[in-house]
Amino acid sequence: MEQVTGLREERYSSLAERAYAEIRDRLIMLDIRPNEPLDDDALAEQLQMGKTPVREAIKRLEVDRLIVTYPRRGTFATGVDITDLAHISEVRALLEPLAAQRAAERATPAERQELLDLADRLERLDLTTTSNHDLIYYDAQVHRAIYKVAGNPHLEDALVRHHNLATRIFCLFLDRLPAVDGHVSEHVELLRAIAAGQGADAGHRAAQHVKGFEVAVRSVI
């Protein structure tokens, strides 16, 4: 997996949590390709940890529909079905604006400052020279931050799962997609609207962002 200096410092409560996050990101960024087998031993060696946290992570990733285990065959990354795009977008179109609005309403002063710092760091990126792979990684970090600040763990779980699935579709066409930098730069004003407590504006920006994602993918199918 290409090493990326993230916009946010990741903190993990356990080895299993780190294994889950790192394998999840390899799956959604297609560094582990769709339908590719997963090797517990190899993953444990790559992550420099024992097999137990890796196996715990794999159980969680099955629930997320990112991997599937077949009796007597093994564990594989799930396939990417482009026909799922409409279903995923339908859910995100409803829930992403809600999360943005709730984040704008509920964010603590410390969280608002964190979102502003995130916007500043994103704005300082040279988006024209940053690889599409890194840009999509940053996209995921921003969305996860917003979901967390929204303060509803059930909403967060649903959105993380659907954003992960959407990102896999996005990455499938990454080398053909136009204006990925523009898609990611939309986050700057979205983050600032949330930090300013502008719920209606944040919700509108989130809705347009999701719509733009679907339109971009459909333009290259």
Side-chain angles (χ1 to χ4, degrees):
M1 179 178 180
E2 182 179 355
Q3 294 300 310
V4 179
T5 301
L7 296 174
R8 304 173 73 228
E9 181 182 354
E10 299 293 343
R11 301 180 180 88
Y12 306 113
S13 59
S14 65
L15 283 176
E17 187 68 28
R18 180 168 74 84
Y20 169 79
E22 295 199 22
I23 299 170
R24 174 202 63 200
D25 287 348
R26 294 185 187 197
L27 288 161
I28 68 172
M29 298 298 297
L30 303 191
D31 294 310
I32 299 175
R33 301 295 299 177
N35 302 310
E36 182 178 327
L38 274 72
D39 184 324
D40 293 4
D41 293 333
L43 285 169
E45 183 176 351
Q46 291 166 18
L47 298 175
Q48 299 183 325
M49 62 178 64
K51 288 187 286 187
T52 298
V54 169
R55 287 171 178 165
E56 291 178 16
I58 284 175
K59 289 178 182 178
R60 288 181 62 186
L61 291 163
E62 283 191 88
V63 176
D64 292 345
R65 299 186 180 181
L66 292 174
I67 66 171
V68 60
T69 299
Y70 299 105
R72 297 182 295 279
R73 286 184 56 199
T75 301
F76 299 80
T78 54
V80 176
D81 187 346
I82 191 60
T83 61
D84 286 338
L85 177 61
H87 301 304
I88 294 168
S89 296
E90 184 177 38
V91 175
R92 294 186 69 214
L94 292 171
L95 298 187
E96 290 275 359
L98 176 61
Q101 291 173 28
R102 291 295 179 266
E105 295 164 359
R106 297 171 176 171
T108 66
E111 288 171 334
R112 294 184 194 281
Q113 187 59 55
E114 181 183 358
L115 294 180
L116 285 175
D117 292 344
L118 194 56
D120 289 343
R121 293 183 67 185
L122 184 61
E123 191 168 42
R124 287 196 297 269
L125 284 175
D126 185 351
L127 297 177
T128 60
T129 60
T130 304
S131 72
N132 283 354
H133 183 285
D134 288 7
L135 289 173
I136 298 305
Y137 182 82
Y138 296 149
D139 174 87
Q141 289 185 297
V142 170
H143 280 275
R144 291 169 192 164
I146 294 171
Y147 305 156
K148 179 70 70 178
V149 173
N152 181 330
H154 300 287
L155 178 62
E156 180 182 3
D157 286 347
L159 276 169
V160 166
R161 182 176 301 178
H162 284 84
H163 184 269
N164 287 345
L165 296 173
T167 299
R168 296 188 84 213
I169 295 175
F170 209 56
C171 287
L172 196 64
F173 301 97
L174 199 53
D175 59 341
R176 296 160 52 192
L177 285 170
V180 174
D181 56 330
H183 178 80
V184 176
S185 67
E186 292 172 1
H187 291 131
V188 173
E189 295 308 318
L190 171 59
L191 288 166
R192 288 186 174 148
I194 294 172
Q198 299 168 350
D201 184 38
H204 174 72
R205 290 181 182 278
Q208 292 301 111
H209 183 72
V210 172
K211 182 179 179 181
F213 161 80
E214 183 175 11
V215 169
V217 173
R218 292 198 180 282
S219 72
V220 297
I221 295 175

